[in-house]
Amino acid sequence: MAATVFITRKFPPSVGGMETLAKDVWATLSAGAATPTFLVAHGGSNLLLPLWLPRATFRLLVLVLRGKVDFVLLGDVVLHILLAPLLRVLGVRYATMAMGKDIIWNRSWYQRLVLRALPRASDVLANSSATAAAAVTAGTPADRVHVVRLGVEDPQVDRHEAAVASAALRRRLGVGDDALVVLTLGRLVRRKGVVWFLRSVLPHLPKNVVYLVAGEGVDAPRVRTSVEELGLQDRVHLLGRVSDAEREQLMRGADVFVQPNIQVPGDMEGFGLVAVEAAMRGSLVVAASLEGLRDAVVDGETGVLLPSGDPDAWTRRLSDLAADRTATRELAARFQLQCRERYARENMGRELCRVLGIPVR
């Protein structure tokens, strides 16, 4: 019986949004497809990719030559550029996932490759409407581009578990029940808007707002400098890189999760998977109405969308949330239920199989 092969260069134990998505895609495909499935994945450092790719190509060739492959799903546009020509020669049906930045990354040599390769893709699975629009702009026929609503594993966090996590986090921070604990979690790059939030919003919020920043990245020095220059050391906790267990407890214990993205040329938020993860764990998500975040957060249903780069709108809304923590918790609980229904991993699995024409169990 012919099989489906999923090839990805981003997979756990490496950490990031693409890695989480790849894990969930594999889980849904392997559990839902009626035909056999094979995983060819790299879960290590990007520095080792040149060593992994030849091995991945060899394994794919072996599976094809043994007649075991009916369909190949490529994990992103980079893999499409590298492997699609071989798949066409072999006559193997394939599709390509697209994440956003893997289309628009502003290096001239890379853009030439994208503009040459992506329009030839038989099917492109975009992680958001913004990514789909980028694929069409790159020359891919619109009828070959499909937006697949992403889904994540639901940890089934109830109110009691969230309350326990919140109490533990407050003890760790040394803040009282009156504090509004606000969290940003993820790779610190300019588009995430952390520096903008520190300089344009936090100084104008009530003093009971405490801001946690978890993660590392190229923008980390600017984040630290902003905190020092503004004298925000007593209100901002820079946690650096956190473990999976700490990450889980932060999302469960925070009152509000903010993703204040700003527009950056040559970069974009393809989806914003962590916003879904935070909402599923009971944090009230407030995000910029920008790019793929518009797909990750449904305004008024799974979270709150605010204009990107508008400090007045952000200050007003977060001040309202800080003024009534009981109302904030109730709103977060309602959004959590809606998020579980909309972004269930099982829904993504069914949609993937339908779009790709893979028989389901």
Side-chain angles (χ1 to χ4, degrees), residues 185-255:
L185 189 154
R187 193 159 49 92
L188 295 181
V189 293
R190 187 182 168 202
R191 77 165 189 269
K192 299 291 185 179
V194 174
V195 170
W196 173 83
F197 185 83
L198 286 168
R199 292 189 173 276
S200 301
V201 179
L202 187 62
H204 308 293
L205 294 177
K207 298 300 182 183
N208 68 326
V209 175
V210 178
Y211 186 35
L212 314 184
V213 181
E216 285 290 347
V218 295
D219 222 29
R222 293 181 64 231
V223 170
R224 288 191 288 270
T225 298
S226 297
V227 172
E228 293 167 2
E229 288 181 352
L230 295 169
L232 295 171
Q233 292 90 336
D234 59 334
R235 301 181 63 189
V236 179
H237 297 256
L238 303 180
L239 306 179
R241 192 182 305 277
V242 296
S243 67
D244 289 345
E246 289 176 301
R247 183 179 187 273
E248 187 71 23
Q249 289 303 311
L250 287 170
M251 287 192 288
R252 294 182 181 208
D255 297 307

Side-chain angles (χ1 to χ4, degrees), residues 3-121:
T4 297
V5 179
F6 177 42
I7 305 179
T8 174
R9 63 188 178 93
K10 298 283 189 178
F11 204 77
S14 294
V15 177
M18 286 180 66
E19 287 82 355
T20 299
L21 174 59
K23 178 193 71 174
D24 290 327
V25 167
W26 170 243
T28 57
L29 280 178
S30 58
T35 55
T37 51
F38 293 94
L39 174 67
V40 181
H42 177 61
S45 167
N46 285 335
L47 296 175
L48 299 177
L49 279 173
L51 298 177
W52 170 79
L53 186 62
R55 295 199 302 269
T57 304
F58 178 76
R59 186 178 178 197
L60 175 62
L61 276 170
V62 169
L63 290 171
V64 171
L65 294 176
R66 289 179 177 176
K68 292 187 175 182
V69 178
D70 176 63
F71 183 83
V72 174
L73 177 60
L74 300 170
D76 66 305
V77 174
V78 172
L79 286 180
H80 168 77
I81 292 170
L82 295 170
L83 294 177
L86 173 63
L87 293 172
R88 285 195 292 269
V89 169
L90 295 172
V92 176
R93 194 168 63 94
Y94 72 94
T96 301
M97 298 183 67
M99 307 297 168
K101 187 179 178 179
D102 58 351
I103 299 175
I104 70 164
W105 190 46
N106 61 345
R107 299 294 187 273
S108 58
W109 61 269
Y110 181 76
Q111 281 301 306
R112 286 194 293 272
L113 291 173
V114 169
L115 293 174
R116 185 181 305 125
L118 200 57
R120 301 187 64 185

Side-chain angles (χ1 to χ4, degrees), residues 317-354:
R317 191 57 187 264
L318 290 172
S319 296
D320 290 344
L321 295 175
D324 191 341
R325 285 195 58 243
T326 299
T328 298
R329 284 195 299 267
E330 292 174 352
L331 186 60
R334 178 162 65 84
F335 288 165
Q336 181 185 32
L337 292 175
Q338 296 279 359
C339 189
R340 283 174 170 168
E341 293 179 10
R342 186 175 184 88
Y343 298 108
R345 194 164 68 174
E346 295 74 20
N347 294 342
M348 179 180 69
R350 288 191 293 269
E351 182 68 4
L352 270 175
C353 289
R354 184 191 67 79

Side-chain angles (χ1 to χ4, degrees), residues 16-17 20 150-152 155 183-186 192 247 251 256-261 269-288 290 292-298 301-305 314 332 335-336 338-340 343:
T20 299
L150 302 189
V152 300
L183 169 69
T184 290
L185 189 154
K192 299 291 185 179
R247 183 179 187 273
M251 287 192 288
V256 177
F257 180 89
V258 294
Q259 192 154 351
N261 283 41
E269 195 71 51
F271 181 67
L273 199 63
V274 68
V276 177
E277 293 179 300
M280 280 192 174
R281 286 154 177 81
S283 290
L284 195 156
V285 173
V286 180
L290 183 69
L293 286 170
R294 296 188 183 116
D295 287 49
V297 180
V298 182
E301 293 185 24
T302 69
V304 176
L305 288 176
W314 282 80
F335 288 165
Q336 181 185 32
Q338 296 279 359
C339 189
R340 283 174 170 168
Y343 298 108

